[in-house]
Amino acid sequence: MNRHKYNYISLLLIISFSFLIFSVFSQQAKFDSLKKQLIKTTAPQKRAVLLLDIARSIYINIPDSSIGYCNQAKELSKTNNLEIELAQSLLCETRYVLLKGDIKTSIEKLNQAISLFQKNGNQKGLANSYSLKSNALGRMGKDKEELEYLLKAKEIHTSISNISGLASSLQDLSYVYCTQGAYQQALNSLKELEKLNLPESSNNFFTEINYGSIYFELKNIPEAILHFKKAIDIAHHYKMLDSEITGLTHLAESYAHINDFKNAHVNYSQALLLATSNNLLVEEKDALKSLVDLFETEKNYTDAYYALKRYKIINDSLFNIEKINSINDIEHKLQLTEKEKIIVQQNLSLEKEKVALASSKNNTLLLIAGLVIVGIAFLFLFYYSRKTKKLFSLIKKQKKEVELQKEIIETKNKDVMDSIHYAKYIQGSMLPSIKTMNHLFPENFVLYKPKDVVAGDFYWTE
C-alpha cells in the first residue's frame, strides 16, 4: 500500500512538472497581460483581483515571487475592507506556505479564510478552503479530519453545481479512502466521478491508476491488471512517458503478485527500457525496487544483487541532486533579496529626481507669481518649502531603511556562505585521503575541481 501511495504522489509531481514545461510560454504571456492591466487599473477591488491572478499565473514557475503578489493583495484588501479578496489572499498565501511545509501557519490562515468566506456566503471559496485544509490535515496524519473536510468540500461543490470542483474532490476522495483502507468507498467515489461524464483527458490516467491500486489492495488482481493496462494506453496516447512507465511498473507488480513471472519480467523490462533511454531516474528507481523483490521471490539472488546495486546508485544520485537544488534554492533567495535591494535604491533615486523636478518647477512658478503679486509669491514659497522638507525627510527615512536592509542582507549572505563552506569541509572529510589513494594505487592522480565551493560529485574507494 505504501509503495502505491508513494508512486501516486511521485506521479502527480512529475505530471505537474511536465505540464509546466509545455505551458511556460503561455503563462509568461498571461503574466505580461495581467501586469499591463494592473498598471491601468486604479479601483482597489479590481487591483486586488488582478494581483491574485498574477500570483496564480506564476505560482508553479516561481512560487517565491508569487507570494509577494499575494501579500500585496492582502494589504490592499485590508486597507479597503475587501473581505472576499482578503480571504482569497489568505488562500493564496496558504498554498505557498503549505508548499514550504509550514503546516501550522497554513491551518491558521485557512481558518481565517474560512471565517471570511462563511461570513460573506462565498460557497466556492469555502469549498476550496476545505479542500486545502484537508490536504494540510492529511500531512499532519489526521486522517479523520482530512476525510471530514474533503467531504464538506464535495457537498458544497455539489450544491452549487461546480462540476470541475466536484470532479477534483471525488478524485481526492478516492485516493484518501484508498490510503485509509476504505476501498469500497474509494470505488464508490470513482464510480460517482464517472457519472459526471467529463470529456476524455489525460486526467483519466489517474482514475484508472486509482482503480488499479484499489483492486490490487482488494486482491482482485485480474481487475487491477485491466485498469493498469487502460492507464498505460491513456499515458501512451497523451505521450505521458513518465506516467506510462509508472503504469508498466504497477502492471508488472500485479503479475508478480499472482506468480506470472514471465509477464512481470516483460513489463519490468519495458519500463526500465523506457526509463533508461529517456534518463528518467525516478521511474527507473521505482521499477528497480519492485524488480529486486521479484528476483528475491524467484531466488535469483545474483540478478537481485545487480538490480539493487543499480537502485542504490540512482538513489544516491537523486539525493545529491536534491542537496544541490537545496543550495541553489538558498542562492536564488539571496539573489531575490539583492534584486529587491536594487529596486529600493532605484525607487529612492526616482524620488530624488521627482523632488528635484518639483523644486525647479516651483521656483519658476514662484518667479512668475512674484511678478504678478508679491503676496501670492510668498504664500506659494512657504507652501512648497514645507512640502520639499517633508519629501527630503521621507527620503532620509527611506535611506536609513535601505541601509538597515543592506546590513541584514550582508548578515544573511555571510550565514549562507558560512554554511556552504562548512558543507565543503564536510564533503572534504568524506573523500578518501591522499595517503589511502597512494596506498591502493601507487601511480594515481585525482582531478577534482568544484565549480564554486561545494562540488556535486563524490569519489570513494572500497
Side-chain angles (χ1 to χ4, degrees), residues 418-431 453-454:
D418 288 344
S419 298
I420 292 174
H421 283 295
Y422 189 70
K424 177 185 177 183
Y425 173 77
I426 295 175
Q427 185 183 49
S429 68
M430 295 171 61
L431 300 177
V453 179
V454 180

Side-chain angles (χ1 to χ4, degrees), residues 12 24 33 91 115 224 233 254 257 271 303 312 336 341 345 372 375 380 412 414 421 428 438 457 459:
L12 282 175
V24 64
S33 174
L91 210 58
S115 177
D233 290 340
S254 300
H257 194 78
D303 288 338
K312 288 183 175 180
L336 285 175
K341 172 188 170 184
Q345 291 174 339
V372 178
F380 271 94
K412 289 184 177 180
K414 183 179 181 301
H421 283 295
N438 290 336
D457 300 312
Y459 60 90

